[in-house]
Structure formats: C-alpha cells, structure tokens
C-alpha cells in the first residue's frame, strides 16, 4: 500500500462532494474517504460511480453488529470494488472474522477483496472519557494495543488509530499491518473535535501507513494545493 492521503468527504450532499472533486487532480491519483453522512444520503450507487471513475475509496461505515449481520453487510460492500472498509474492533474477534469472510465471499472474480481496517478508539475519545465513561482501567495506549492485537489475530489487515499510537503498535504488533490515522492537521490548523492529532510529517515519522484529512482540505480556498502540500509532507 502506498503512502496514501485519503480526503474525508464529510458532506451531506453529493453535489458538494462533486464540486470538491472538480477542483482536485486525476481520479487515479486521488484517495477518498466516504463516511456515514454521505453514504446515507447518496448510497452505494455514488460509491460505485466513483470507483468506476478510478478513485480509490475508503468506505468508513464502522460496522458493528452481531457476526452474521456483519458478514452479510461486508459481503454486499465487497461488491462495490472499494479499497478498504472499517469495522469496530470493540465488536470482538468473532465479528471481525465474520467481516473478513464476508469481504472474501462478496468480492467479484478477478478482483482483490477490500482491506479490512478495525477502528480501535476514536480520536475524539480522551483518556478521561476512556476511564470515566467506558470504565476502562487501561491507559489509552494499552487499550489501543489490546484492540489491535485482537483485530490482527482475527484477520483484519490493519487498524484505524491515532498517529500518536502507531510507534507503540508497530513495536508490539509489527510492521506487517496497516496503521491508518485520522486526526491529521497542518501546523496552522485548529484541532476541531479531534483530541489526539498530528501533522502529516509527524504521522510519517511515527510510521503511519496512510492518513485521513478532512477539513484542512475540504474547507480550503484552494483544496488541490493543500492536498498536494499534505501529500508532499507525508511522503
């Protein structure tokens, strides 16, 4: 996997996403993340359309349900030809294995199954929330490592985690695993609702496999220029 920079299309209308795409470069060199907001509005037809145009799609729906339901959902999503999908590691090993089987079963012949990425702790979760609301006695790093170990043993291809945790994860889990990190901001950006953030260069130094960037690109006056700056800094 190349050092991809996924642009988070956090829009509630397909038209807004299309307006941004018109300002960016060629489809085959552009990586996009589609989350629940846009997917629930525009559906799978929009995702399939983007795949057919050559975009690399990270479909971030964070599946989390009983194993049989997740298997059937993953089987459907695999037919879209997306690059990767997400599930919650907190769903447990049986659910993760079911998702992996669903992706393999649903992938059309001649194509590679989407990568399965497990969400550890969301970057909006602070140590205080982990301790006081999730009632977890582990530190954030130990909790993320534990969830990542479960995900890898269950067949996931990588995890979604904060860039701040990548170094610790690589030491314990290894470098033969994908570490995809949201919470990326340029030095002059505000953090917004993200608690655990890093710059593209810091994410690179920590060892991130790929990064996800939303508002620093989507709200920029010249999003194409900012996208190139971030890609250059990360690579």
């Amino acid at each position: 996997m190349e050092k991809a920079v996924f642009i988070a299309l956090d829009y509630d209308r397909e038209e807004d996403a299309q307006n941004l795409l018109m300002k960016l470069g060629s489809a085959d060199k552009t990586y996009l993340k589609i989350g629940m907001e846009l997917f629930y509005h525009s559906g799978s037809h929009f995702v399939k359309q983007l795949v057919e145009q050559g975009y690399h799609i990270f479909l971030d729906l964070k599946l989390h349900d009983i194993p049989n339901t997740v298997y059937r959902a993953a089987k459907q999503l695999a037919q879209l030809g997306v690059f990767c999908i997400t599930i919650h590691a907190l769903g447990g090993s049986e659910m993760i294995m079911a998702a992996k089987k669903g992706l393999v079963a649903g992938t059309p012949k001649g194509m590679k199954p989407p990568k399965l990425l497990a969400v550890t702790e969301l970057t909006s979760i602070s140590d205080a929330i982990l301790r006081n609301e999730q009632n977890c006695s582990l530190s954030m790093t130990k909790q993320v490592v534990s969830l990542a170990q479960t995900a890898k043993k269950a067949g996931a291809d990588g995890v979604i985690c904060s860039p701040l945790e990548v170094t610790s994860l690589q030491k314990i889990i290894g470098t033969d695993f994908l570490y995809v990190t949201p919470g990326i901001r340029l030095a002059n950006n505000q953090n917004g609702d993200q608690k655990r953030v890093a710059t593209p260069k810091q994410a690179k130094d920590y060892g991130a496999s790929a990064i996800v960037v939303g508002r620093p690109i989507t709200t920029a006056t010249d999003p194409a220029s900012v996208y190139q700056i971030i890609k250059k800094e990360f690579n």
Side-chain angles (χ1 to χ4, degrees):
M1 180 176 180
E2 67 176 286
K3 303 281 279 188
V5 176
F6 288 96
I7 303 172
L9 297 182
D10 294 329
Y11 296 113
D12 59 6
R13 298 192 317 154
E14 185 177 325
E15 294 81 0
D16 293 331
Q18 293 285 18
N19 287 337
L20 176 69
L21 296 181
M22 289 175 60
K23 301 174 184 177
L24 298 175
S26 59
D28 64 336
K29 296 181 180 179
T30 304
Y31 291 75
L32 306 173
K33 182 180 84 72
I34 295 179
M36 290 180 278
E37 185 177 20
L38 185 55
F39 187 82
Y40 292 159
H41 177 273
S42 299
S44 59
H45 79 278
F46 181 52
V47 174
K48 200 162 188 177
Q49 176 186 328
L50 293 176
V51 170
E52 290 172 352
Q53 290 174 8
Y55 290 102
H56 307 274
I57 304 298
F58 168 4
L59 189 55
D60 186 22
L61 301 182
K62 299 182 178 70
L63 303 181
H64 192 170
D65 211 312
I66 62 172
N68 185 57
T69 298
V70 169
Y71 168 83
R72 292 176 181 274
K75 188 176 179 180
Q76 292 297 319
L77 296 178
Q79 297 175 36
L80 300 178
V82 298
F83 187 76
C84 55
I85 74 161
T86 53
I87 57 170
H88 270 291
L90 286 165
S93 58
E94 187 178 350
M95 188 198 77
I96 296 169
M97 287 188 283
K100 186 72 172 183
K101 290 178 181 178
L103 291 179
V104 172
T107 299
K109 290 184 178 180
M111 297 178 63
K112 293 182 179 180
K115 300 291 185 184
L116 180 61
L117 304 176
V119 178
T120 54
E121 289 289 347
L122 300 171
T123 53
S124 60
I125 300 298
S126 65
D127 288 279
I129 294 173
L130 183 71
R131 181 175 61 254
N132 300 324
E133 297 181 18
Q134 294 189 6
N135 299 311
C136 179
S137 60
L138 298 177
S139 68
M140 180 64 72
T141 297
K142 288 183 178 179
Q143 167 72 344
V144 169
V145 167
S146 176
L147 291 171
Q149 287 175 319
T150 297
K152 187 175 184 181
K153 289 178 182 178
D157 298 292
V159 290
I160 308 294
C161 61
S162 161
L164 307 181
E165 288 130 17
V166 173
T167 301
S168 296
L169 286 169
Q170 285 186 329
K171 289 179 180 178
I172 298 171
I173 297 173
T175 57
D176 60 335
F177 205 51
L178 299 176
Y179 303 96
V180 180
T181 65
I184 302 300
R185 297 287 185 269
L186 290 170
N188 61 345
N189 293 146
Q190 295 182 345
N191 290 358
D193 57 358
Q194 304 279 16
K195 300 293 192 301
R196 308 191 318 275
V197 302
T199 65
K201 184 180 184 305
Q202 288 172 328
K204 173 191 173 184
D205 293 341
Y206 290 142
S209 308
I211 59 176
V212 180
V213 188
R215 283 163 284 189
I217 295 173
T218 59
T219 63
T221 304
D222 185 357
S225 177
V226 175
Y227 187 39
Q228 294 305 317
I229 290 171
I230 291 174
K231 287 201 290 186
K232 184 176 181 181
E233 185 175 324
F234 184 51
N235 284 278

